[in-house]
Amino acid sequence: MAVDDYALTSLANVKAALHLTTTDDDALIESLINRFSAAIETYCKRKFKARDYTEKHDGDGTSVLYLKQYPVNSVSSLKIGTGTVNSSDYALYKEEGKIRLKYSVFPEGIQNVEVTYNAGYQDGSDELEALEQIVINEIQAHYLAGQTDIVSPEGEGEIPDKKTFLTSEARKLLEPFIRRDVYGY
């Protein structure tokens, strides 16, 4: 098993925190890293590490569109129907993940708006460092308590209930990261 590309920490950082120097539990720790990273993203209803997205949205007759991921680093394309919207014709609110058309509205339609963009926290950001520490703390708590049965022998399957699986301390620290509920997201 390997650590996923978008996992919130690395094997080396977890092993350093656990003061491990052998490779005996590397596969288990990699699995825990992937599972806790996934559990946190599921709990917060969003992705954290910067990556590219293409989303289709229904136009609703308003001038505002909320993207599913944020903060937005850049928008490479905004299309309505078959036409491309010039970047000077909209305002991007990066932290909110919001696009506001300046001179028109997103016409009503089904999946008639397409946005290609990059969103998430950049490596080295304070936010990713905080999330990494939460993952490390969760792994330490489970690993040191001998609670490794959350991983099937093949390394597959789901963590039981992700909300109760995370410690109450982790859930408290994750509060500022939980996706705001806008238009059902």
Side-chain angles (χ1 to χ4, degrees), residues 91-132:
L92 175 62
Y93 300 85
K94 292 182 174 191
E95 291 301 314
E96 300 172 50
K98 179 172 82 171
I99 295 174
R100 185 183 57 76
L101 295 177
K102 293 179 180 177
Y103 312 111
S104 61
V105 296
F106 293 101
E108 291 185 16
I110 297 173
Q111 303 290 290
N112 62 332
V113 178
E114 181 180 281
V115 185
T116 302
Y117 66 104
N118 181 281
Y121 299 114
Q122 302 293 335
D123 286 338
S125 68
D126 291 343
E127 293 86 356
L128 277 184
E129 288 180 12
L131 290 162
E132 177 180 35

Side-chain angles (χ1 to χ4, degrees), residues 7-157:
L8 296 172
T9 191
S10 67
L11 176 63
N13 289 351
V14 172
K15 286 178 71 170
L18 292 170
H19 306 290
L20 296 176
T21 56
T22 69
T23 59
D24 296 348
D25 286 341
D26 282 7
L28 171 65
I29 294 168
E30 288 172 338
S31 180
L32 291 172
I33 290 168
N34 293 336
R35 289 166 188 278
F36 275 105
S37 295
I40 286 171
E41 288 185 341
T42 298
Y43 180 76
C44 293
K45 299 181 255 173
R46 60 188 279 222
K47 307 287 184 196
F48 291 109
K49 287 188 126 183
R51 62 191 95 173
D52 295 325
Y53 298 93
T54 297
E55 294 176 2
K56 289 195 173 228
H57 294 263
D58 295 343
D60 62 0
T62 69
S63 63
V64 176
L65 176 76
Y66 284 94
L67 300 171
K68 293 179 182 176
Q69 303 298 327
Y70 61 94
V72 176
N73 300 311
S74 63
V75 173
S76 55
S77 173
L78 172 59
K79 296 178 183 177
I80 300 175
T82 58
T84 301
V85 179
N86 190 311
S87 62
S88 63
D89 292 335
Y90 63 86
L92 175 62
Y93 300 85
K94 292 182 174 191
E95 291 301 314
E96 300 172 50
K98 179 172 82 171
I99 295 174
R100 185 183 57 76
L101 295 177
K102 293 179 180 177
Y103 312 111
S104 61
V105 296
F106 293 101
E108 291 185 16
I110 297 173
Q111 303 290 290
N112 62 332
V113 178
E114 181 180 281
V115 185
T116 302
Y117 66 104
N118 181 281
Y121 299 114
Q122 302 293 335
D123 286 338
S125 68
D126 291 343
E127 293 86 356
L128 277 184
E129 288 180 12
L131 290 162
E132 177 180 35
Q133 191 58 55
I134 294 168
V135 171
I136 290 171
N137 291 347
E138 291 296 284
I139 291 171
Q140 280 180 312
H142 283 77
Y143 183 86
L144 295 175
Q147 296 174 339
T148 58
D149 60 338
I150 59 168
V151 182
S152 70
E154 299 78 29
E156 296 178 359

